[in-house]
Each structure stands twice: as C-alpha cells, then as structure tokens.
Amino acid sequence: MERGRLRVYLGVAAGVGTTYAMLDEALRRQDRGTKVLVGCVHTHCRPVTKRLVGQLIGPLDAPEILDVDAVLVARPDVVLVDDLAYANPGNASRPHRWQDVEAILEAGIDVITTLTVQHIDSLSDPVREIVGRAPQDLVPDSFLGRADQIELVDISPEAIRRRIAHGNVFGPDELRPADADLFNSKAFAELRALLMYWMADRLSAGPGDTRGAREKVIVAVANSPTSDMVLRRAARLAQRSRAPLVGVFVTCGAADDDGNKAERKERVEHLGGTYHEISGIDVADSLVSFAAAEHATQLVLGTAPTSWWTRRWRPTVVDEVIRLASTVDVHVVSVEDSADRGRVGPLKVKGDVPIRRQLLAVGAGTALLTVLTGALAANRGGLSVATSLALYLLAVVTITAVGGRWPGLAAAVAAPLLANWFLIPPYHTFRINNGENLLELVVFVSVAAIVSAFVTIAARRAAEAQRAQREAATLASLTGSGDLELPEVIVEQLQRAFRLDGVAVFAGDGPDPEVMAAWGDAPIRPADADIVAPLATGLVVAAKGPALGADDHRILHVFLAQLSRAFEQQQLRLAASEADALGRADELRTAILRAVSHDLRSPLAGIKASVSSLRQRDVEWPDDIRDEFLASIESDTDRLTSIVTNLLDLSRLEAGVLRPVLRAVLLEEVVPAALSGLGRNAIRVVVEIPADLAEVNTDPALLERVLANLVANALHWSPDEERVTVRAHRSGPEVQVHVIDHGPGIPRAKREVVVQPFHRLGDSGPNTGLGLGLAIADRLVAAMAGSLELRDTPGGGLTAVVSLPTADTKDAQ
C-alpha cells in the first residue's frame, strides 16, 4: 500500500495561526470533493476556529483526542491532526501523537497537521537557550524529514500581541503565564529567526539536489552528559548538508550494559540517524577506520578543555582523530562552560626560551656533540678541518635554535675545544701549530656567537609580540566591558590580568580603612601588600602577588586610571541621585499641595458638614437620616485615612527612608492577607497559586500592600459581574504574580504615565482618588528588587505583572 502524504503547518508558538491554516486548507479540499475527517482539533474557544470546524463537521463538538482506530475504519482521503507534538500518556504502544500519525500514513491516508518550532528535537538546545526551558514532547527530525510539505505560518510579535489583546488567540482565562511571557519578550523574535534558519536549511536543497548522495555525517556517541548536545549539533549539520546521519559508539573491548546501548540507539534514531557499535583497542583509530569504511565525508566529535600537560603526554581522542584523518572533515564541538569563554590570559610572559627547552637542548646537544666528535675522530684522515668545523657549526646552530642563548653559547665553546683536542694536530693538546686552523676556530666561534644572539633576539621578539597581543586583548576586554562603571568588575579584571592573589581598594590610611572594592577571600591590607598604589584622594589600591615588570606597570596604570574614573562616576551618580531625589521631593510637595486643595478638603468638608448637622439642637433628625450622616462620616474618614496613608508611604519612598526587610516567603501566606481588607469584594477575586510554587525573596508586609493596591484597582475598574484573577507561576529565576481584570484597560501610550504619582485616567468620578495606587505599587516592588509591568488582558482589560526573585536564586548568588 502506498504511504499517505504528510503536510505540516509550522509556526513559532501556539496562536500564530497554524490551526487556522490547517482548517482553511481542509475546507478548500472539501470544496473540491475530497473526503476530509477531523481527527482532533484544539479550538481554544476561538470563535473563528470554531466556525471553521463547524463548516467541516457541523454542530458536533470538535474531537480533541485522536482515535486512530476510528480513522482507519472511516478511511478518509485526508485527516486533520492538530498539535503533532501532543503526548498520549495513556497509550503505551504509541506514547506520542506523531506515532499515531505515522500509523495513519502507513495505512495510505493523507494527514495535515500543525507543529511549533519549539517541539523540533534537534532545536531543543537553542530553544532552551532562548526561552529558558525546552518542551518534553519533541518530534524527531527523522519523522519531519519524511514530510512531503512543510509550510511556514508566520506572524510579527506586534500582530500576535494585538490578537491576544483582542481575545482572538486565547480565552480570557486560558492564556498561561509562560505563554504571556513569551509573547511579551524578545524570545518570540529569536524563535522566529530560529524557525527561518531551520526552514532555510531544509529548503536549501531543492528537487534533484544530489548533495545527500555525496555527503555522510558520522557522529561519535559517548556515555556523557554532553553527548546529546553533540548529537543534536551533528543532526543539524546532517540536515544542512542533506546527508545521512550515522552514530557510532566504540566499546574498546569493555562490555556495555544493554540499557545504555538501547538508550543511545533510541537517541540517535530519534534524530533521524542510524546507530552502530564497534569494538577496538584505540578509539581514534576505530573512528577513523569506520569513517573510511562508510565513505563518510564529515566526522563530528565532542571535546572538553584539557591542560597542556595532559595533551602533551596523553593526547586526546580529538587530537588523534585529527592526526589520523585524511579523507574526512573533522568537526569538533566544544562543550566547555560558557562562563569561561572570552577570558583573557595572564599578561606575564617569559621573555626567554623556557627552562624545559633549555634542558632538552643541553641533553640533546651533549649527545649530538659526543656522537659527532666520535665519528669525525674516527675519520679525521679523510675530512679536512674546515669540513669538520662546518659540521660542528651545524650542530651548534641546531642546539641554539632549540635551547636559545645559553645552551648555544655552551655548545659554541665546547665545539672548538673538542675540534682542537681531537681533530687539529697535534692531537690531544690545545696547541695549534697552523695559523690557518687558528683562524678557522676564531671564525667558528664568531659565527656561533652571532647565531646564538640572533636566536635569542628572535625568541625575545616573539615573547614581546605575545605580550603585546595579550596587552591588547586585556585593554580591549577592559574598554569593551559593559560594566566599566563598576569598580568591582575592574578589580576582578585586574586580578585576572596579572594573576594576583588578592586586590582591594581602601578609603583612608588609618588602622582599619574602609574596603571600597575587593577580590579574594579576605581583603589584602596595605601593610601586607606587595603592590600599593594611590588611586585618588583618600583611596589606595593594595595587591598581593608576583612582582611586576616595567611593562606590567604601564598596563597597571591603565587599570588604576579606569578605577579612578569608576569611583568618580560613582560619586557623580550619587550626587545626581541625591539631586534627583531632592527634585522629586520638591515636585512631590508641590503635587501634594495641589492635591490638598481638592482631594483632602473634600472628605474633610463632608465630615465637617455631617458632624455640624448632627450637633444641631434645634433639629430632630430621624434615625435613617442620622444613620446616613454617620455612614458618610465613616466613608469620608476611611477615604481620608487611605489618602493620608498613601501620601506618607509615597513620601517615605521618595525620600529613600523605606528599607524593605527581605526574607523567603510563600505567596500563600501573603495573598490571603492582601485580600482580607477588601471586605465583601473579596468574593470577586479568584486565586490560582500552585502548591509547589517556589518561595520569593521579599518583604511580606510591603508585598501585601502591593497586591492589595493592585487588586483594589482591578476591582474598581472591572464591571460588577466580572471577576479579578490573581495567578502566579515561576519564570526562570523569578516568580510572577498576575493580577488580571477585564475592565477598560490602559492604552500602551499611557502606561508609563499612570505609574507616576498624581496621574490617573480620568477624573470624572467622585472616588477616583489621587492616582497613587499604581505609583506606590511600582515603587514598593522596585524597592524589593522586583518589577511591575502592565499588559493587555486577552479579551480586554489590564494585567498587572509583579516579578520578584525567588529565594533559591538569592541563595545561589
């Protein structure tokens, strides 16, 4: 039976329109007379999607679970399968939906399906780098490689955010916090670029392209945590080259358990490759021999950084493969820690030939001169003195080239003495009877000394060039750093450049000076330091470590100048901050005075009027009127108390006297306390907090005020029949709390304005307030090292997102 055809609509994330495109194509085929069956579709309550499904299946509900047996019985021309990466947890034989699709295709039925780039197996590493996590349900590249057509469904970040805000993508309560984060960050644009690259690699070879027949990629599989990274990189390389992928594991005679073998085999085949195991004594030789036997053109290996000593005495598998490979291109995938990349090595570089080479030259030179002297002495009748001295000169030049000046000079002294003793008559004496022989010896010694000097100068020039390169790299790293204004960063670079044991910057010269910046377990005191340099008025740099040369001091002065500039910038920023605080305080006082003219006087006037009326003795007020007066007094008093409390809090925040007491707190402890002050309105609030949510590092009292302000604001602007949702989830190193309402919302252009004091959207209502709720919430969250963001709610409304660091993130730091 002929296999069915597979068409995949591929997008960046859920909501970009892949399901719509699939349904639209199904309607076109149905209009042409094709028998279309809806296998499973997730409508997400979208009106447009439900309308399209209705045109296909009528008033029936869209199936969300794929029934393979029912599809095989119905035998349609084409079946629609939404969300190819969906997992089938209850199906042990086919745990993934793509396996269901494979069974349908094998039955000769065409399939149209949808997929997002995040679920492509070979892209899980870059996806994890972009969004901070990778989905567990992945579709193997081998399956996608058999697709007859993959069509890209693309949409811009601005367009998808507009669609979400209008409720055309997710229902009001269906948008998960993680999806909201994705659509509101640059990660969405980066995923789009990743999708474009993947599609470009797939489409780079059109019909008739025979590159795959010429290329074959072999990847070395290992039992290591980094093996999956190497495998995925090799899979992308094979896809880009349109070449088959072959994974090979070398056992080296060691028996490997079947569990590991099955896991390796499954992993390679999942990425579209074939798996082989070979045995051999030498891993590198086995890999190269296997690649030659398979006529492979590319060999991919993983490597980790090793020391020079290890590489010298025990070459790595990569080194041996590169040495042995002659007919295959070798690709080395580095798996080193990204934190170690980009670091500059030490500036101190030896200006002479290393001791190891000098000792090697002395030993080899001694043996060479001994053997050469014995050979010449045995044949001194057949060779002239000039010829013998020329051979000695060659030996001296060789020794000088290997060991530098001192071994060369020693050889230049020893060689003429040996020639005089063994080769120039009278033998076994140092007398020279022939003046020509004496001239030859003088020329020999002169040439040897000149060659030695030139070799030494060349070594010094090479060392100077290396040092200049390191200095340039250090200066480039220093000037190119994004944190040049932080003294701590410059101190760390100073330590790394000169390999110092410790560095510290002190203020004052007393017995216990203040440490301004330091690197090391304990600050180096000036009294114990090897290097002490004045930095600026009252500042001293103290460092302990190896002695610095004159050239090192030149670079040191650059660091000191940069440190001085950094501390000056700190002082200027502090002064600017104080001036800014004074300016804000003055602006705040002006705003308060303006607010007093209306917002404070109104409740006071109401209280005064009610109390004056109650105190009138010539009027007998009915009980219901007296109750109204008392209720008015209570309401105005509560309003006045709220205004004064907010003003006091804002003044403390602006003056910088509010100091949060941060500790690990569970949101389950804070949210109920924040809702307790809402009274009867609390029944309109829906709380969704996972039981396993991480603790946040915050001040519980201040966080309670923040949530109370945000929820009160959301309730105030929401219709009476609508509920406000408080939802929390973890996003990387933070916990996000979403306060979701379905009111009129706030236009994007005005969101920065409403978090400023005394700014509000409309002043028509009698209880609009001073516009301090969002301003206080924003500043309280900032004081707790968090952030407040205002977003659109799907279907209309405002979502206030409070992001706070988790307690485990603080502990890790």
Side-chain angles (χ1 to χ4, degrees):
M1 182 181 297
E2 184 179 355
R3 175 184 168 90
R5 297 173 62 83
L6 175 63
R7 181 169 186 169
V8 181
Y9 285 97
L10 181 62
V12 177
V16 299
T18 53
T19 303
Y20 180 91
M22 177 184 69
L23 295 173
D24 189 56
E25 172 65 18
L27 287 172
R28 285 197 297 270
R29 295 196 183 193
Q30 184 174 263
D31 292 341
R32 295 196 300 265
T34 304
K35 183 180 179 182
V36 178
L37 176 66
V38 178
C40 61
V41 173
H42 303 286
T43 63
H44 299 285
C45 299
R46 303 168 191 160
V48 176
T49 304
K50 294 175 68 175
R51 177 175 57 80
L52 293 178
V53 173
Q55 296 178 29
L56 290 169
I57 64 175
L60 300 176
D61 293 333
E64 295 192 352
I65 301 299
L66 178 61
D67 189 342
V68 179
D69 295 333
V71 172
L72 297 180
V73 171
R75 294 207 60 81
D77 296 323
V78 62
V79 61
L80 308 183
V81 180
D82 199 13
D83 194 0
L84 182 61
Y86 185 84
N88 298 327
N91 191 336
S93 60
R94 293 193 301 267
H96 302 286
R97 183 169 286 176
W98 63 267
Q99 294 172 318
D100 291 340
V101 171
E102 179 69 23
I104 295 173
L105 292 172
E106 292 297 331
I109 301 173
D110 294 347
V111 176
I112 303 177
T113 186
T114 64
L115 182 67
T116 64
V117 68
Q118 302 174 59
H119 295 277
I120 298 177
D121 194 353
S122 65
L123 299 180
S124 59
D125 285 331
V127 167
R128 183 181 291 106
E129 293 176 2
I130 292 172
V131 301
R133 64 187 185 280
Q136 295 181 348
D137 303 319
L138 301 172
V139 178
D141 292 67
S142 56
F143 179 80
L144 295 176
R146 297 194 296 274
D148 297 278
Q149 186 174 358
I150 297 181
E151 185 168 331
L152 177 63
V153 179
D154 189 33
I155 189 171
S156 67
E158 295 77 12
I160 187 67
R161 284 196 288 265
R162 284 196 302 269
R163 291 183 60 195
I164 292 174
H166 295 159
N168 296 331
V169 177
F170 300 99
D173 299 320
E174 194 181 14
L175 180 60
R176 296 174 298 177
D179 292 330
D181 294 342
L182 173 63
F183 295 123
N184 285 277
S185 67
K186 65 177 182 179
F188 186 77
E190 293 178 358
L191 285 176
R192 288 181 72 211
L194 181 64
L195 175 58
M196 299 297 180
Y197 286 128
W198 189 86
M199 287 294 294
D201 290 339
R202 174 181 172 82
L203 299 176
S204 59
D209 193 334
T210 59
R211 284 185 300 167
R214 300 193 302 268
E215 297 282 344
K216 178 179 286 188
V217 178
I218 291 182
V219 55
V221 184
N223 287 327
S224 67
T226 59
S227 180
D228 282 354
M229 181 188 300
V230 178
L231 272 172
R232 286 189 287 268
R233 187 71 62 84
R236 294 199 296 273
L237 181 63
Q239 181 187 25
R240 193 172 295 119
S241 304
R242 308 292 292 178
L245 176 67
V246 179
V248 58
F249 179 79
V250 182
T251 62
C252 292
D256 186 64
D257 61 279
D258 294 336
N260 285 344
K261 176 180 179 180
E263 182 179 349
R264 292 192 301 268
K265 184 174 185 294
E266 179 183 3
R267 195 74 190 97
V268 173
E269 293 178 349
H270 198 67
L271 290 168
T274 58
Y275 178 78
H276 297 268
E277 277 199 6
I278 58 176
S279 60
I281 299 176
D282 183 82
V283 175
D285 182 67
S286 300
L287 288 174
V288 174
S289 299
F290 180 81
E294 291 288 323
H295 302 288
T297 57
Q298 302 179 63
L299 177 59
V300 182
L301 305 95
T303 184
T306 56
S307 63
W308 174 89
W309 182 263
T310 303
R311 294 171 64 91
R312 182 70 180 178
W313 299 107
R314 191 179 62 185
T316 64
V317 172
V318 173
D319 295 332
E320 289 297 301
V321 167
I322 294 175
R323 183 179 64 84
L324 295 173
S326 58
T327 60
V328 62
D329 296 336
V330 180
H331 299 264
V332 181
V333 180
S334 176
V335 294
E336 64 177 337
D337 187 358
S338 59
D340 293 331
R341 297 178 182 174
R343 291 191 172 182
V344 180
L347 285 176
K348 297 186 71 62
V349 178
K350 280 195 171 184
D352 207 346
V353 179
I355 295 296
R356 182 180 58 84
R357 278 181 55 186
Q358 294 186 30
L359 295 177
L360 176 64
V362 169
T366 302
L368 178 60
L369 291 177
T370 301
V371 172
L372 180 60
T373 301
L376 293 177
N379 195 28
R380 56 191 173 193
L383 295 174
S384 65
V385 174
T387 302
S388 301
L389 289 177
L391 294 175
Y392 272 117
L393 181 61
L394 177 61
V396 171
V397 170
T398 302
I399 295 171
T400 305
V402 174
R405 175 193 297 177
W406 300 114
L409 290 178
V413 172
L417 293 177
L418 291 173
N420 188 12
W421 184 270
F422 290 102
L423 304 178
I424 299 176
Y427 304 117
H428 305 299
T429 66
F430 289 110
R431 288 184 302 155
I432 300 176
N433 295 334
N434 191 339
E436 184 178 350
N437 291 340
L438 179 60
L439 179 60
E440 291 171 348
L441 286 177
V442 171
V443 172
F444 174 85
V445 173
S446 301
V447 171
I450 293 172
V451 171
S452 176
F454 273 111
V455 170
T456 303
I457 292 173
R460 185 180 296 112
R461 291 288 185 269
E464 291 174 355
Q466 184 182 5
R467 177 183 181 82
Q469 180 182 7
R470 297 223 180 237
E471 287 182 0
T474 300
L475 293 175
S477 174
L478 180 62
T479 56
S481 173
D483 299 322
L484 273 182
E485 296 182 354
L486 298 178
E488 294 78 7
V489 175
I490 301 175
V491 166
E492 182 182 357
Q493 289 185 343
L494 175 62
Q495 181 278 331
R496 199 163 60 229
F498 296 105
R499 293 294 174 93
L500 301 171
D501 298 329
V503 186
V505 181
F506 296 94
D509 54 0
D512 191 19
E514 180 185 359
V515 179
M516 306 298 294
W519 186 96
D521 296 333
I524 303 296
R525 297 293 174 180
D528 303 326
D530 298 320
I531 303 171
V532 178
L535 192 61
T537 304
L539 295 180
V540 175
V541 175
K544 189 174 183 61
L548 303 181
D551 293 334
D552 295 325
H553 278 278
R554 185 178 68 254
I555 303 301
L556 176 63
H557 285 307
V558 176
F559 276 99
L560 296 180
Q562 195 65 46
L563 266 175
S564 298
R565 198 171 298 113
F567 280 110
E568 290 175 1
Q569 290 292 330
Q570 268 193 348
Q571 294 297 326
L572 290 175
R573 285 196 301 272
L574 181 60
S577 176
E578 292 176 353
D580 185 55
L582 291 174
R584 288 199 307 268
D586 183 67
E587 181 182 349
L588 179 63
R589 283 193 295 269
T590 303
I592 290 176
L593 290 176
R594 292 175 180 173
V596 168
S597 63
H598 177 267
D599 294 277
L600 291 179
R601 290 172 59 185
S602 295
L604 286 174
I607 294 172
K608 175 66 175 176
S610 298
V611 171
S612 298
S613 299
L614 290 174
R615 287 176 58 85
Q616 287 184 1
R617 300 189 180 276
D618 56 341
V619 179
E620 189 67 29
W621 300 106
D623 290 342
D624 56 340
I625 300 297
R626 292 176 62 86
D627 290 341
E628 287 184 12
F629 282 143
L630 293 175
S632 176
I633 292 172
E634 183 179 14
S635 175
D636 286 338
T637 302
D638 290 341
R639 182 183 173 194
L640 185 61
T641 301
S642 175
I643 292 174
V644 172
T645 301
N646 283 337
L647 287 173
L648 290 176
D649 286 343
L650 186 61
S651 64
R652 294 172 62 200
L653 286 169
E654 295 293 346
V657 298
L658 183 63
R659 294 290 183 267
V661 180
L662 304 181
R663 62 180 178 88
V665 179
L666 286 171
L667 285 179
E668 294 175 339
E669 304 173 9
V670 179
V671 174
L675 303 182
S676 62
L678 298 176
R680 289 178 297 177
N681 283 331
I683 63 174
R684 295 175 54 199
V685 182
V686 178
V687 180
E688 299 176 3
I689 300 178
D692 58 347
L693 188 65
E695 295 179 324
V696 295
N697 185 50
T698 186
D699 186 317
L702 298 185
L703 181 59
E704 179 183 334
R705 289 290 312 279
V706 169
L707 295 180
N709 278 359
L710 294 177
V711 174
N713 184 76
L715 289 171
H716 176 76
W717 291 103
S718 295
D720 294 339
E721 67 277 6
E722 292 287 349
R723 293 179 177 269
V724 171
T725 302
V726 178
R727 183 179 297 158
H729 77 287
R730 178 161 186 167
S731 178
E734 296 179 332
V735 167
Q736 293 188 348
V737 183
H738 294 223
V739 180
I740 306 169
D741 69 59
H742 300 283
I746 300 176
R748 286 181 175 270
K750 296 183 179 181
R751 290 178 186 174
E752 293 185 2
V753 176
V754 296
V755 295
Q756 302 300 321
F758 309 105
H759 288 81
R760 50 201 175 189
L761 294 180
D763 298 322
S764 58
N767 296 315
T768 54
L770 291 177
L772 294 178
L774 290 178
I776 292 176
D778 179 66
R779 282 153 178 78
L780 286 177
V781 172
M784 295 183 289
S787 62
L788 174 64
E789 182 183 0
L790 303 180
R791 300 176 181 172
D792 290 319
T793 299
L798 181 71
T799 297
V801 181
V802 177
S803 301
L804 295 168
T806 59
D808 52 4
T809 302
K810 174 182 177 294
D811 295 338
Q813 293 175 348

